[in-house]
Amino acid sequence: MDTSTEDPVDLTMTAEVYGVLREHAWIGQVGADHDLDADLFGPAVKRAAAYGWSSTRFSAGAELGGQRWGHADAGGDWSQDGRVRQLAWLTVYPATDLREQHLPVLPLTRVMVDSLGRVGELAFTGLTVRVPMRLAPDTRFDLRELVVQRGHGQLRAEHVEHVEHRAGARDRTAFVCALPEWTPDAAAWLAEVFIDALRAVGVRDTAEIALVRNSRTPPHTAGVTAP
């Protein structure tokens, strides 16, 4: 895909994980004793490199082959007050020279969830992604197991989740959807379904997709564990 005439700032992608984080009882002391990372950026960069998705090596000849994204920024609110917080966010520059690669919704989500799992126990409540739709390839074949059908703006089934797409201040569409599980991986997969649906109808600008667990759905621990 030729993006040589595009402003690279317009091609950034951001993913955000929301929920409640209960820090491990030992994390503060171990962090002080061993100078461990006290924010999201460090562990996120290390996990991205370990998975082979990205790297912060910039010297000539040291670049990571097949890199999925370049890091821009990261952060998160780990306040220990039991309230839902924006626990993690990553802003990246998705690669434009890897043919037919999905936008890295699941990899970014996995990097953040893994990093949070080193800090404590995550009760996951939501995922938001802002994606440059002009970079979205046709992923219908990979996502064919789920068919999204529009009926009066809503999708209804047994496990109810809320999905919202916003392409502008006045362009917002909400859906009620079904998932057999409520986990970060499942939310990332559903976000990809909506990205492909937007691509199919010709959306080319940056789109925001927010997936939020309905308050009637019981909370589900994300299932992340420390290695």
Side-chain angles (χ1 to χ4, degrees):
M1 182 179 299
D2 183 11
T3 59
S4 58
T5 62
E6 306 287 359
D7 182 347
V9 174
D10 293 335
L11 299 181
T12 58
M13 172 179 172
T14 298
E16 304 164 352
V17 170
Y18 291 83
V20 179
L21 182 68
R22 186 173 64 188
E23 289 186 357
H24 298 310
W26 46 264
I27 196 70
Q29 187 60 51
V30 171
D33 291 346
H34 299 280
D35 192 27
L36 297 180
D37 296 302
D39 58 19
L40 182 80
F41 190 80
V45 166
K46 293 172 184 175
R47 275 159 178 72
Y51 282 126
W53 290 329
S54 189
S55 172
T56 55
R57 295 179 296 175
F58 298 115
S59 58
E63 300 88 351
L64 180 66
Q67 179 163 280
R68 297 289 305 278
W69 68 80
H71 291 288
D73 204 355
D77 182 351
W78 297 349
S79 300
Q80 294 297 290
D81 56 6
R83 298 174 58 189
V84 171
R85 298 282 184 175
Q86 184 192 57
L87 298 174
W89 58 269
L90 280 175
T91 298
V92 303
Y93 298 97
T96 60
D97 58 350
L98 300 178
R99 181 177 174 83
E100 297 304 319
Q101 280 280 11
H102 292 217
L103 287 169
V105 178
L106 180 57
L108 289 176
T109 303
R110 178 46 47 194
V111 163
M112 288 188 288
V113 169
D114 282 0
S115 299
L116 292 170
R118 291 295 296 128
V119 177
E121 181 180 354
L122 169 63
F124 171 68
T125 63
L127 175 71
T128 295
V129 294
R130 284 183 289 277
V131 297
M133 290 300 303
R134 72 190 72 170
L135 297 184
D138 184 342
T139 57
R140 286 174 295 176
F141 178 81
D142 300 322
L143 302 172
R144 64 189 182 281
E145 293 181 1
L146 178 65
V147 177
V148 176
Q149 296 179 338
R150 175 92 179 263
H152 304 293
Q154 293 186 331
L155 300 172
R156 296 187 178 277
E158 180 180 359
H159 300 282
V160 179
E161 318 300 340
H162 177 78
V163 182
E164 182 175 291
H165 157 244
R166 182 190 301 177
R170 298 182 179 179
D171 185 3
R172 177 183 296 183
T173 304
F175 296 86
V176 177
C177 301
L179 288 175
E181 64 183 72
W182 179 246
T183 60
D185 283 4
W189 183 73
L190 185 57
E192 283 210 62
V193 171
F194 276 84
I195 289 170
D196 192 68
L198 293 173
R199 175 207 58 77
V201 297
V203 175
R204 296 280 293 166
D205 298 327
T206 296
E208 177 177 295
I209 300 170
L211 300 97
V212 182
R213 180 180 60 83
N214 188 288
S215 60
R216 292 172 294 173
T217 306
H220 189 291
T221 299
V224 293
T225 56

